[in-house]
Amino acid sequence: MREWTRFDVIVKGKGMWLQDTKGNLFLDGVASMWCNVWGHSKDELVKSITIQAKKLQHSSLFNLTNDKAEELATKLVRLAPNMYKVFYSDDGSTAMEVSAKMALQYWYNKGEKKKTKFVTLENGYHGDTTGTMSLGYVPAFFSRYKSVLFPTIKIPSPNKYRTPNGFTFEDYVDHCLDEVEKTFSQNNNIAAFVMESGAQIAGGVTVYPGGFQRKISNLCKKHGILFILDEIATGFGRLGSMIEYQNQKSTPDIVSFGKMLTAGYLPLAVTLASKKIYDAFLGQHHEMRHFFHGHTFTGNPLACATAITNLALYKKYNIIPKIKKNSTYLQSRIDEISDLDLVGDVRHKGMLMGIELVSNKMKKSPIPLEKRIHQRIFNEAKKHKIYLRTLGHVVMIVPPLAISERELEFLMDGTIDAIKKISEKIT
Ligand SMILES: Cc1ncc(COP(=O)(O)O)c(C=O)c1O
């Protein structure tokens, strides 16, 4: 933290651009932590916040409800196949905490109190709270908190670039799936399998191979294990489809959305549950079957109104086909990026790209931490008027979905140039 004592202070956002106190402009290359959809200060969204702010700013969902929370929930269950009810929270981490508690209590209410284990994928990420660090254990982030995390059964996650020796990639994918099947067969105490939907992002941008998620979903059904999906970063168009689990032909029992739900304007996340899950919580008060979870700002009407407007904008601007066009453009730059000295691998789907930097392309060896690659990339990108952020040694390209082709070109030109400049300095 000694290296991060001075920050550029952002005071304004317009379209794809952020402006700091000195008037410098930066293209928002990471959609302000992967959540911005339409760019900043979008008229319709600002108007919707203003109108709602004059009517009702907040009213609790404890014993009451509010019109915006009701309307949004109705829209979300229409949008998400097989989902029946919505539980509101404030951010992705809490939405995933909710999904885990829901799964545990589902089995408790069913009288199966031993079903308390979670099976997860290595390198998955589900948030920064204690429960979600347990579920999505990225060792580089969380090893220092290990003593307080609950144990989960971890299944290896296929990453083509880092396929272990002795396997072809296809064989390795089969091996991972065999591990899932073996784990399910050998343990009768499993509550749920938890994974990100479509791709792992924070764990290094790893896009699942075709059929991987569907097969896990089918194995869960076969063994009577709940299937929990995390679409917080990958749903709402990031990977090119509105509902990624539908695209993956998988059927979760519980799924969470966040980030782009409000177009990145206000904090809101949701956990959706199927009817099977919901029904297990019904009972008389004295039976105490109800879900023991709630936050002060659960179902905040300002955030829900913004999400409703955001959903209308997805329809109005028909954004999903446009994402495909931008995605094709990103794809067209991959060869050029792969040729750069420091680049080991480029992984891409929809409006998500991860550029893995290595110190030796042949050996795929990581760049030593002392080289401060994250800071160099950030600073170099700023010189190119771009706000870029790396996760570990993976440069993340996660722009607002509605970015124009011209701005996307600016982003990619600047990123490529920044990587070139850094490679001159550190090799
Ligand atoms: C897949 C996934 N799940 C959960 C989270 C946690 O969301 P939040 O940062 O809103 O708590 C993130 C955040 O990046 C994420 O990528």
Side-chain angles (χ1 to χ4, degrees):
M1 284 162 68
R2 276 191 206 290
E3 292 165 8
W4 293 94
T5 50
R6 286 177 151 203
F7 294 91
D8 307 288
V9 178
I10 300 300
V11 288
K12 207 170 149 182
K14 183 80 191 151
M16 304 300 142
W17 297 85
L18 295 166
Q19 187 183 320
D20 72 7
T21 38
K22 295 177 195 139
N24 297 313
L25 290 173
F26 306 108
L27 182 73
D28 190 353
V30 290
S32 291
M33 265 342 264
W34 323 342
C35 61
N36 192 290
V37 177
W38 308 103
H40 300 270
S41 304
K42 180 86 176 157
D43 280 347
E44 291 98 322
L45 290 163
V46 174
K47 201 167 150 200
S48 148
I49 294 171
T50 313
I51 291 171
Q52 185 58 36
K54 288 181 183 161
K55 273 169 57 186
L56 176 67
Q57 310 74 41
H58 183 59
S59 158
S60 139
L61 284 203
F62 289 79
N63 293 20
L64 291 173
T65 181
N66 70 65
D67 58 343
K68 295 301 169 189
E70 290 295 302
E71 186 182 341
L72 178 59
T74 306
K75 287 186 188 310
L76 289 173
V77 293
R78 268 196 212 128
L79 188 69
N82 202 41
M83 290 299 136
Y84 187 63
K85 291 283 174 184
V86 174
F87 194 94
Y88 285 108
S89 55
D90 317 336
D91 54 58
S93 306
T94 39
M96 287 308 293
E97 291 276 347
V98 166
S99 66
K101 281 176 68 175
M102 222 179 242
L104 286 175
Q105 197 180 334
Y106 169 84
W107 291 116
Y108 185 96
N109 287 355
K110 287 268 177 194
E112 300 241 30
K113 295 183 184 166
K114 289 207 175 108
K115 290 195 189 276
T116 55
K117 266 260 172 301
F118 289 95
V119 184
T120 60
L121 285 181
E122 279 175 7
N123 271 325
Y125 175 85
H126 302 290
D128 277 3
T129 52
T130 308
T132 56
M133 286 193 291
S134 309
L135 295 172
Y137 182 74
V138 181
F141 304 163
F142 300 142
S143 53
R144 57 277 294 148
Y145 311 112
K146 204 170 176 184
S147 58
V148 298
L149 305 185
F150 58 78
T152 65
I153 302 174
K154 291 178 189 65
I155 302 294
S157 173
N159 171 350
K160 197 168 187 177
Y161 181 59
R162 297 204 178 270
T163 304
N165 288 338
F167 285 99
T168 65
F169 181 57
E170 289 68 26
D171 286 346
Y172 193 63
V173 175
D174 287 344
H175 165 77
C176 298
L177 291 167
D178 288 347
E179 288 293 308
V180 177
E181 173 105 65
K182 209 163 72 190
T183 304
F184 286 180
S185 308
Q186 290 173 354
N187 294 279
N188 59 7
N189 57 354
I190 298 172
F193 187 100
V194 186
M195 69 191 282
E196 286 158 85
S197 188
Q200 294 183 320
I201 304 198
V205 184
T206 317
V207 178
Y208 303 136
F212 183 68
Q213 183 166 321
R214 174 174 48 81
K215 286 176 186 163
I216 294 178
S217 171
N218 291 344
L219 285 172
C220 286
K221 298 290 161 296
K222 181 175 154 192
H223 290 267
I225 285 164
L226 297 182
F227 188 40
I228 298 180
L229 283 177
D230 178 345
E231 289 215 7
I232 285 149
T234 50
F236 276 69
R238 176 56 62 200
L239 298 185
S241 55
M242 194 67 187
I243 303 290
E244 181 59 19
Y245 73 78
Q246 190 173 22
N247 181 46
Q248 298 279 344
K249 298 189 173 50
S250 57
T251 317
D253 298 288
I254 301 171
V255 62
S256 294
F257 300 94
K259 293 203 186 266
M260 298 197 291
L261 179 62
T262 61
Y265 278 48
L266 287 169
L268 181 73
V270 287
T271 306
L272 275 58
S274 67
K275 186 166 188 317
K276 174 176 100 174
I277 302 291
Y278 176 73
D279 284 350
F281 288 79
L282 299 176
Q284 301 297 314
H285 177 70
H286 67 272
E287 295 175 273
M288 293 273 118
R289 294 168 71 86
H290 53 279
F291 190 42
F292 287 82
H293 197 103
H295 294 282
T296 308
F297 290 106
T298 294
N300 174 261
L302 271 173
C304 290
T306 313
I308 293 166
T309 305
N310 183 34
L311 281 175
L313 295 183
Y314 271 83
K315 264 201 186 144
K316 178 176 169 188
Y317 294 111
N318 198 18
I319 185 89
I320 298 295
K322 289 181 191 143
I323 292 170
K324 295 207 166 109
K325 211 166 147 221
N326 273 343
S327 171
T328 306
Y329 175 77
L330 285 178
Q331 183 79 34
S332 75
R333 305 291 303 256
I334 288 183
D335 285 348
E336 185 186 347
I337 303 168
S338 303
D339 283 345
L340 299 175
D341 278 348
L342 286 181
V343 174
D345 193 30
V346 185
R347 301 184 278 274
H348 158 247
K349 185 171 181 185
M351 289 295 278
L352 169 72
M353 181 182 268
I355 305 171
E356 183 165 339
L357 306 180
V358 289
S359 62
N360 182 316
K361 278 170 98 109
M362 286 294 287
K363 293 186 186 153
K364 303 183 180 178
S365 32
I367 300 171
L369 285 176
E370 291 71 22
K371 300 275 184 188
R372 295 175 18 256
I373 203 77
H374 61 291
Q375 206 177 33
R376 286 170 189 265
I377 290 279
F378 177 72
N379 287 336
E380 199 60 49
K382 265 193 346 191
K383 290 184 200 159
H384 289 78
K385 296 193 179 307
I386 294 170
Y387 168 39
L388 261 198
R389 196 166 177 273
T390 60
L391 258 178
H393 290 157
V394 178
V395 180
M396 313 280 294
I397 307 286
V398 198
L401 299 183
I403 190 169
S404 69
E405 228 177 295
R406 200 167 44 82
E407 285 162 322
L408 196 55
E409 193 177 348
F410 182 89
L411 172 63
M412 295 317 292
D413 287 348
T415 303
I416 290 169
D417 226 48
I419 297 173
K420 274 187 193 158
K421 288 265 159 44
I422 285 155
S423 109
E424 283 160 19
K425 284 180 192 157
I426 73 166
T427 48

